[in-house]
RNA sequence: GCCCCAGUGGCGGAAUUGGUAGACGCGGCAGACUCAAAAUCUGUUGCCCGCAAGGGCGUGCUGGUUCGAGUCCGGCCUGGGGCACCA
């Protein structure tokens, strides 16, 4: 046979056109088949698709095509997470209007995605920056407002004092503004928030029911919500505290350690700290110092612990006459609990470090098991485990749990200024979701500030609040705020002069309901309830693990909020979640320390050199592909060199989908080689095999039988692997079937007998069918080559012949004292006694036992025998 | 700093979830075909000892549970993700 090669590029275009023409992938609400909603996280239109997209959308496409073949009415849509900071940054840097760059990018990326051959219902496509989408989102905002789920709160932001603008954490580099280079400061400002904390308990509890979510994501969300039970303790402030601050409230999860307390600490933003600063310049300076860095948690918590002694003291609630100093401390945040803590250095690492720095006492009150109470002391590490209480009056001898109860019991009964000293409380780490952004490229918040009526919503009839197109990016800050006319409006209530809200919404709002909009993307309402009832929840959601907390938690909250406001009829948006790994690549630096693209590097005698200059290149760590480190490979170059199926096959092969995959040229070539091999095998089988209409022979010889068994085993294994999203093992199984077909073709010779001819074509057909979700173009080509007039994309998923899956004999290992000494091939259903008898007769076993007395024989049928001697 | 995850041959990884560690692929080695190369095909390939039969070691390190541990438990080490205004 001529060594004709499969022309992937030409044939892929052909099959894409055929599928498209038939409208195969449109999801319909009028369909009796069971629905299946597959969704991959929609892309930000950054310019071109990257390898992460290829991986993500290939996985989703396998699921979509597989469920389609399994007889489901599949919804598999695509859209664009189109608002966001990068387009706005580009506008500032290069003067391109965000709308233009965004829609241009979408056009490019849509074409790229289409060339991947994804089974997407493109009729439902939209971008979040489409006026229609953000119009509906403004209506949702107003509904949430009416439902009491929107609030206005003061929050801290990164402030660039030179550019006079708010910075995203991303724009703060080493504590400085990315453009001005100025040291960033914290600043408080009023913002719109969604009251996600109202759902904290429900969001936490419902995690238990998300059975098809990875445990690690559920755990991360649970930790993020951070429910903790504890005690609110009210301390009486001694002397003459600022007005209204004679009681200081502290939340603690460790009331048992109260006898070991040596100080109180309050956040720099605590009202008491602010009040003190009004009369105490030193305190004010300290607070300013605390504000002289960004707002990110990592930044705050890795600082050196610093405190300012306010001079105030509070009375210890359980020790008569004892008092504790009150500090302002840089590691206490106002956002959690009451913004104040009592410090027990012996049993909390942060408190210990602070106490050492400030020279405060460290008194152990919990004794680790096995320690001597007289000699036990804390050195460099706080003890946070369980034990019995010491040095603690009436708590002595109790364990931690009992001591917590005893303290709570005592303090809830005590009174301070008419309130109990202690209140049992549940606190959450979760904070309300601040959605205000001082940016242009986002959904305008439909509110108006009126000097006489206050803040009033834009009436529904005045919606949408449209982004003005004539904005300039010639100076830092929010272009909406700088716009000469846009924000000046009349108050919808009194008609007087008023100002529009110039903040836009966090883009996480956009991505919190796009999956709902896909159910009825053209509806004149935000949602079509019937359509949402039909499609939701999303059956399988696939995306990067980097979204495990924020996006997924916000979407879960927003779905609840939409339920409350009558836009959907359910609470949990994603029944199944899969978090894929990233795509990584080696990094390269030239002699000047500048990052190099992989295509700028070549190999010479095993050493990496610059492709043009020949200068040596330093090969760095394997990291996730990122523009900043230039370790990116454009999927387009792979698709145009090898075709989409090769890119898809590479992405699914070898590496488990949840793990990071390393991109390599060799891997791509290997993937391409297999596709060519599969093509050759199927063509040969088509030439030698029985025709599609051929009858099934009554009997099969051993060779044909073996091939049939291999084919059906692979079918069963691939089916199971796809169901569990274990694409790498599915690929391995497909390799095995290709190997079996290859040896079948060889042993059958040039003129196969009828039973062989039948088995060959059956194996080739099954090969094409089980590979079709992953490499749909080649599979379609193979299907046609095998003489079929139908489209493989419209064929149902085959079922294996059960009789071919069961072997009559099994080979089991025989161990002596846990070490494998021999193996035993025996009837599958052999009795335990027979297995044991056969095992003990084995020469190797007899030798290993060496005449010792046999104490016990463990027999696990179909698995193992272990002789204990 | 806090939370989460991962670690198995030269490499990516498999292992019916406590039961033959290394399926499948990449790479290597040997061979076939070829004037030659590419492509393709066949065999082989964890490490050590041994002609072989066979034996020893082996799933990041370390201790434990068990007839039996890559898998479960304790303590470490290394790498990665998230940390609320990147998406």
């Amino acid at each position: 046979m001529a060594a004709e090669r499969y022309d992937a590029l030409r044939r892929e275009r052909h099959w894409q056109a055929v599928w498209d023409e038939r409208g195969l992938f449109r999801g319909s609400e009028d369909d009796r088949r069971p629905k299946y909603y597959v969704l991959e996280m929609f892309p930000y239109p950054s310019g071109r698709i990257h390898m992460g997209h290829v991986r993500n959308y290939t996985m989703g496409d396998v699921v979509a095509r597989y469920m389609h073949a399994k007889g489901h009415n599949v919804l598999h849509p695509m859209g664009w997470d189109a608002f966001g900071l990068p387009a706005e940054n580009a506008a500032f840097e290069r003067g391109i209007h965000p709308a233009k760059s965004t829609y241009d990018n979408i056009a490019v990326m849509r074409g790229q995605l289409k060339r991947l051959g994804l089974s997407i219902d493109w009729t439902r496509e939209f971008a979040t920056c489409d006026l229609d989408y953000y119009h509906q989102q403004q209506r949702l905002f107003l509904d949430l407002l009416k439902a009491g789920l929107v609030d206005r709160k003061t929050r801290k932001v990164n402030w660039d004092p030179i550019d006079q603008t708010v910075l995203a954490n991303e724009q703060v580099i080493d504590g400085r503004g990315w453009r001005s280079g100025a040291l960033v400061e914290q600043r408080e400002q009023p913002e719109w928030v969604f009251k996600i904390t109202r759902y904290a308990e429900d969001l936490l509890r419902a995690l238990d029911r998300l059975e098809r979510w990875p445990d690690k994501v559920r755990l991360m969300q649970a930790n993020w919500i951070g429910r903790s039970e504890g005690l609110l303790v009210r301390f009486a402030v001694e002397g003459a505290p600022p007005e209204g601050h004679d009681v200081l409230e502290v939340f603690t999860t460790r009331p048992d350690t109260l006898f070991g307390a040596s100080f109180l600490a309050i956040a720099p933003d605590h009202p008491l700290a602010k009040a003190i600063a009004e009369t105490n310049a030193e305190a004010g300076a300290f607070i300013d110092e605390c504000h002289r860095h960004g707002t990110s948690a990592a930044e705050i918590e890795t600082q050196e612990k610093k405190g300012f002694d306010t001079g105030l003291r509070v009375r210890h609630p359980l020790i008569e006459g004892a008092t504790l100093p009150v500090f302002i401390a840089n590691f206490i945040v106002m956002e959690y609990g009451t913004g104040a803590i009592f410090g027990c250095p012996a049993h909390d690492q942060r408190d210990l470090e602070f106490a050492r720095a400030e020279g405060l006492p460290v008194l152990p009150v919990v004794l680790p098991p096995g320690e001597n109470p007289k000699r036990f002391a804390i050195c460099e590490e706080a003890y946070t485990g369980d034990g019995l209480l010491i040095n603690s009056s009436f708590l002595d001898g109790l364990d931690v749990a009992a001591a917590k109860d005893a303290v709570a019991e005592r303090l809830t009964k005590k009174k301070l200024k008419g309130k109990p000293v202690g209140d049992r409380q549940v606190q959450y780490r979760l904070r309300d979701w601040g959605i205000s952004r001082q940016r242009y490229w986002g959904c305008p918040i439909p509110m108006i500030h009126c000097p006489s009526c206050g803040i009033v919503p834009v009436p529904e009839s005045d919606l949408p609040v449209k982004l003005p197109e004539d904005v300039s990016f010639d100076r830092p800050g929010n272009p909406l705020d700088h716009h000469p006319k846009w924000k000046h409006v009349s108050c919808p209530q009194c008609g007087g002069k008023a100002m529009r809200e110039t903040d836009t919404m966090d883009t996480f709002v956009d991505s919190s309901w796009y999956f709902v909009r896909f159910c009825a993307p053209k509806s004149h309402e935000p949602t079509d309830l019937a359509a949402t009832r039909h499609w939701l929840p999303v059956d399988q959601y696939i995306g990067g693990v980097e979204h495990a907390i924020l996006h997924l938690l916000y979407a879960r909250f927003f779905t609840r909020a939409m339920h409350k406001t009558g836009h959907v009829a359910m609470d949990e948006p994603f029944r199944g979640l899969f978090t894929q790994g990233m795509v990584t690549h080696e990094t390269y630096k030239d002699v000047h320390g500048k990052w190099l693209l992989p295509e700028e590097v070549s190999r010479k005698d095993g050493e990496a050199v610059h492709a043009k200059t020949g200068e040596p290149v330093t090969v760095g760590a394997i990291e996730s592909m990122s523009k900043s480190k230039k370790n990116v490979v454009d999927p387009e170059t792979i698709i145009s060199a090898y075709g989409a199926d090769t890119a898809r096959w590479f992405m699914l092969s070898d590496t488990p989908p949840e793990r990071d995959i390393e991109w390599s040229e060799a891997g791509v070539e290997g993937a391409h080689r297999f596709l060519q091999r599969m093509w050759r095998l199927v063509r040969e089988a088509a030439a030698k095999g029985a025709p599609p209409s051929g009858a099934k022979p009554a009997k099969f010889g051993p060779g044909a039988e073996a091939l049939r068994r291999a084919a059906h085993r692979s079918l069963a294994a691939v089916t199971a692997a796809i169901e569990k999203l274990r694409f790498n093992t599915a690929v391995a199984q497909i390799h095995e079937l290709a190997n079996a077909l290859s040896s079948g073709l060889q042993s059958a010779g040039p003129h196969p007998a009828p039973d062989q001819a039948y088995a060959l074509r059956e194996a080739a057909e099954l090969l094409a069918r089980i590979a079709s979700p992953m490499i749909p173009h080649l599979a379609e080509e193979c299907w046609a080559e095998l003489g079929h007039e139908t489209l493989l994309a419209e064929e149902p998923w085959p079922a294996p012949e059960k009789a071919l899956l069961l072997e009559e004999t099994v080979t089991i290992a025989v161990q002596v004292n846990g070490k494998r000494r021999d193996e035993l091939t025996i009837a599958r259903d052999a009795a335990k006694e027979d297995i044991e008898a056969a095992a003990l007769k084995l020469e190797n076993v007899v030798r290993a036992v060496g005449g010792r007395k046999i104490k016990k024989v463990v027999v696990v049928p179909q698995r193992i025998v272990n002789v204990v001697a």
Side-chain angles (χ1 to χ4, degrees):
Chain A
M1 187 175 302
E4 193 184 323
R5 287 174 72 80
Y6 169 60
D7 184 355
L9 301 191
R10 199 168 55 83
R11 298 312 290 161
E12 287 181 356
R13 273 200 300 277
H14 169 76
W15 291 117
Q16 285 166 17
V18 171
W19 296 327
D20 198 37
E21 209 171 286
R22 295 266 193 120
L24 273 188
F25 308 124
R26 264 171 234 160
S28 162
E29 284 82 59
D30 317 305
D31 196 316
R32 307 283 283 281
R33 293 174 299 171
K35 71 93 183 178
Y36 199 88
Y37 187 173
V38 193
L39 184 68
E40 301 97 62
M41 292 179 184
F42 65 164
Y44 175 78
S46 54
R48 306 178 67 76
I49 62 167
H50 55 67
M51 288 297 180
H53 293 133
V54 176
R55 195 178 192 202
N56 193 185
Y57 301 137
T58 299
M59 289 181 195
D61 200 46
V62 173
V63 175
R65 285 177 180 270
Y66 170 75
M67 292 314 294
H68 182 84
K70 285 289 263 187
H72 288 79
N73 174 27
V74 171
L75 177 60
H76 186 209
M78 181 60 70
W80 308 95
D81 190 11
F83 278 135
L85 194 55
E88 192 150 333
N89 287 346
F92 279 113
E93 284 177 339
R94 289 181 273 126
I96 308 164
H97 195 282
K100 171 156 175 53
S101 61
T102 301
Y103 282 107
D104 286 352
N105 288 348
I106 287 173
V108 170
M109 291 172 74
R110 184 192 299 116
Q112 292 185 303
L113 290 183
K114 287 194 170 176
R115 283 193 287 286
L116 276 175
L118 305 173
S119 63
I120 280 169
D121 181 353
W122 286 102
T123 65
R124 292 173 188 259
E125 177 192 359
F126 60 78
T128 55
C129 63
D130 291 345
L131 178 61
D132 176 54
Y133 188 81
Y134 74 74
H135 174 193
Q136 303 302 340
Q137 187 162 303
Q138 289 171 346
R139 295 176 67 186
L140 291 175
F141 177 92
L142 294 180
D143 284 348
L144 262 60
L145 183 73
K146 267 182 237 151
L149 293 172
V150 180
D151 205 352
R152 210 155 157 76
K153 276 193 183 172
T154 297
R155 296 175 74 94
K156 285 200 285 190
V157 292
N158 301 309
W159 181 253
D160 185 323
I162 292 185
D163 277 355
Q164 294 283 300
T165 179
V166 175
L167 299 176
N169 282 339
E170 186 192 55
Q171 295 171 317
V172 179
I173 297 153
D174 296 329
R176 292 172 182 274
W178 66 313
R179 286 166 63 83
S180 70
L183 279 172
V184 166
E185 297 167 5
Q186 292 181 5
R187 172 180 269 219
E188 293 195 313
Q189 64 178 28
E191 292 199 344
W192 295 102
V193 302
F194 286 151
K195 295 201 218 171
I196 188 172
T197 51
R198 193 183 279 194
Y199 291 87
E201 189 67 33
D202 185 43
L203 288 165
L204 179 67
R205 287 190 187 207
L207 287 172
D208 289 340
R209 297 195 298 274
L210 295 174
E211 283 158 23
R212 288 183 46 231
W213 279 44
D215 287 342
K216 68 163 174 180
V217 174
R218 292 196 280 177
L219 191 56
M220 280 200 265
Q221 292 218 349
N223 287 339
W224 189 260
I225 294 167
R227 181 184 198 276
S228 51
E229 289 177 13
L231 198 66
L232 183 88
V233 183
R234 297 188 172 88
F235 287 86
V237 184
E238 294 257 283
E243 174 99 27
H245 291 285
D246 49 353
V247 173
L248 187 53
E249 293 185 340
V250 163
F251 175 75
T252 178
T253 57
R254 294 296 303 272
D256 54 304
T257 63
L258 204 43
F259 283 95
S262 49
F263 66 93
L264 263 69
I266 59 176
D269 298 300
H270 194 281
L272 173 58
K274 289 179 179 170
I276 292 169
E278 275 174 28
T279 55
N280 182 334
E282 239 180 298
F286 178 79
I287 293 168
D288 287 345
E289 173 75 32
C290 292
H291 286 161
R292 226 163 275 147
H293 58 74
T295 58
S296 79
E299 217 173 320
I300 292 166
E301 286 177 44
T302 50
Q303 292 174 85
E304 194 191 336
K305 286 167 191 53
K306 279 188 195 156
F308 175 83
D309 191 344
T310 62
L312 291 175
R313 297 189 78 86
V314 294
R315 260 179 248 139
H316 195 290
L318 293 170
I319 308 173
E320 200 59 41
T323 61
L324 302 168
V326 178
F327 287 84
I328 302 169
N330 63 352
F331 61 98
I332 309 297
V333 291
M334 198 53 218
E335 286 79 11
Y336 182 71
T338 59
I341 60 138
F342 81 75
C344 176
H347 305 289
D348 182 287
Q349 192 59 31
R350 290 196 305 185
D351 295 351
L352 181 63
E353 284 166 34
F354 186 76
R356 294 289 188 225
E358 298 290 335
L360 295 162
V362 179
L363 175 69
V365 289
V366 179
L367 186 69
E371 287 282 350
N372 181 330
K374 297 224 168 73
R375 261 178 280 151
F376 178 65
I378 298 290
C379 297
E380 279 171 26
E381 240 171 85
Y383 176 71
T384 55
D386 200 358
L388 299 184
L389 275 281
I390 51 171
N391 303 325
S392 295
S393 167
F394 67 99
L395 300 177
D396 283 352
L398 297 177
D399 64 23
V400 166
K404 282 181 181 177
D405 258 348
V407 171
E409 190 63 28
R410 174 95 41 126
L411 291 186
T412 47
K413 286 188 184 134
K414 251 178 125 166
K415 293 273 175 193
L416 176 66
K417 315 242 172 194
K419 281 185 178 168
V421 173
D423 254 332
R424 289 182 203 259
Q425 273 199 354
V426 174
Q427 283 282 345
Y428 299 90
R429 211 182 67 98
L430 183 68
R431 312 204 292 256
D432 276 330
W433 173 14
I435 61 155
S436 288
R437 299 291 181 268
Q438 296 70 43
R439 321 215 181 280
Y440 166 74
W441 196 231
C443 171
I445 295 172
M447 301 295 285
I448 288 167
H449 300 258
C450 171
S452 36
C453 309
I455 306 177
V456 292
V458 174
E460 181 118 13
S461 54
D462 288 355
L463 292 183
V465 177
K466 214 175 144 183
L467 282 172
E469 282 161 30
D470 55 334
V471 280
S472 66
F473 294 90
D474 49 8
R475 60 174 159 145
N478 181 0
L480 290 180
D481 199 33
H482 301 158
H483 193 277
K485 303 187 294 286
W486 186 76
K487 67 178 171 185
H488 301 283
V489 288
S490 49
C491 171
Q493 269 176 31
C494 68
K497 275 190 182 171
M499 299 277 232
R500 271 195 198 292
E501 174 64 66
T502 57
D503 285 353
T504 52
M505 290 185 216
D506 179 6
T507 56
F508 273 123
V509 181
D510 314 344
S511 55
S512 286
W513 71 287
Y514 75 106
F515 47 88
V516 181
R517 186 70 184 164
F518 276 139
C519 299
K522 312 231 157 50
S523 172
H524 297 299
E525 299 295 316
T527 70
D528 175 329
L529 210 48
T532 67
R533 278 183 206 277
H534 185 265
W535 291 114
L536 292 173
V538 174
D539 295 278
Q540 184 64 59
Y541 195 35
I542 307 177
V545 69
E546 65 273 21
H547 297 285
I549 296 176
L550 290 181
H551 161 60
L552 288 166
L553 194 63
Y554 289 149
R556 292 180 64 219
F557 155 73
F558 207 76
T559 305
R560 283 163 170 75
M562 287 178 78
H563 190 181
K564 188 174 185 197
T565 50
H567 294 290
V568 296
M570 31 69 79
D571 282 340
E572 283 296 342
F574 312 119
R575 182 171 287 153
L577 172 71
F578 187 83
T579 54
Q580 57 166 65
M582 296 174 310
V583 184
T584 64
H585 197 287
E586 275 181 337
T587 48
Y588 308 103
K589 271 186 181 174
D590 68 9
V591 284
H592 314 289
K594 277 173 70 180
W595 298 106
L596 294 173
L597 289 165
E599 66 202 41
E600 294 174 304
V601 176
S602 64
R603 298 270 163 180
K604 201 175 163 191
D605 307 325
E607 297 291 308
V609 295
H610 196 291
K612 284 206 186 107
T613 64
E615 288 175 327
V617 165
T618 315
V619 179
I622 297 164
E623 296 189 52
S624 81
M625 286 191 178
S626 76
K627 278 186 186 167
S628 62
K629 292 189 175 155
K630 286 201 166 181
N631 58 338
V632 289
V633 176
D634 190 338
E636 192 76 15
T637 62
I638 307 305
I639 295 167
S640 51
Y642 300 97
D645 282 339
T646 294
R648 296 170 62 119
W649 190 248
F650 172 82
M651 282 302 182
L652 299 167
S653 303
D654 293 346
T655 302
E658 70 279 7
R659 225 178 284 178
D660 290 353
I661 189 171
E662 192 193 343
W663 180 266
S664 77
E665 191 62 29
V668 178
E669 279 163 14
H672 190 63
R673 240 187 342 258
F674 175 76
L675 301 194
Q676 292 293 352
R677 175 166 183 247
M678 175 170 155
W679 168 238
R680 279 195 310 274
L681 291 172
V682 170
R683 288 194 79 194
E684 196 184 335
K688 284 187 185 174
S693 50
K696 184 176 174 184
K699 275 204 158 166
F700 290 93
E705 174 81 6
L707 179 55
R708 297 199 69 218
R709 281 186 184 277
H712 285 260
R713 237 186 355 251
S714 287
L715 167 58
V718 168
T719 305
I722 294 178
E723 296 264 357
K724 289 186 205 149
L725 308 180
R726 295 164 56 142
F727 307 118
N728 56 322
T729 58
V731 165
Q733 278 299 329
I734 290 169
H735 276 130
E736 294 206 30
L737 178 51
N739 291 344
L741 176 59
S742 176
S743 29
L745 283 164
Q746 272 187 16
S747 56
H751 305 291
D755 67 324
Q756 290 174 317
Y758 181 90
L760 287 175
R761 93 154 281 109
E762 184 188 33
E765 271 191 20
L766 284 176
L767 180 60
R769 295 175 83 139
I770 60 181
S772 67
M774 307 180 197
I775 40 174
H777 311 87
L778 177 62
E780 202 70 78
E781 190 75 16
C782 289
W783 190 247
E785 187 68 25
L786 285 161
H788 292 282
E789 313 252 299
T790 56
L791 281 178
L792 184 48
E794 288 182 299
E795 288 289 316
W797 193 254
E801 282 181 29
K802 291 229 170 71
L804 291 171
L805 299 180
L806 273 182
E807 299 286 348
E808 275 153 29
T809 59
V810 289
T811 302
I812 61 181
V814 182
Q815 300 178 334
V816 177
N817 290 336
K819 283 199 187 211
R820 182 180 171 280
R821 294 299 170 183
D822 208 336
E823 58 185 31
L824 181 65
T825 301
I826 200 162
R828 163 175 288 277
D829 53 358
K832 266 191 167 187
E833 306 80 64
D834 298 340
I835 299 172
E836 179 173 335
L840 291 175
K841 266 187 233 154
L842 291 167
E843 207 180 301
N844 287 337
V845 172
V846 172
R847 185 166 9 150
V849 170
R852 277 170 294 175
K853 188 168 178 263
I854 291 168
K855 290 182 197 144
K856 183 170 154 188
V857 180
V858 180
V859 179
V860 183
Q862 294 175 45
R863 289 246 189 284
I864 205 164
V865 177
N866 190 11
V867 180
V868 187

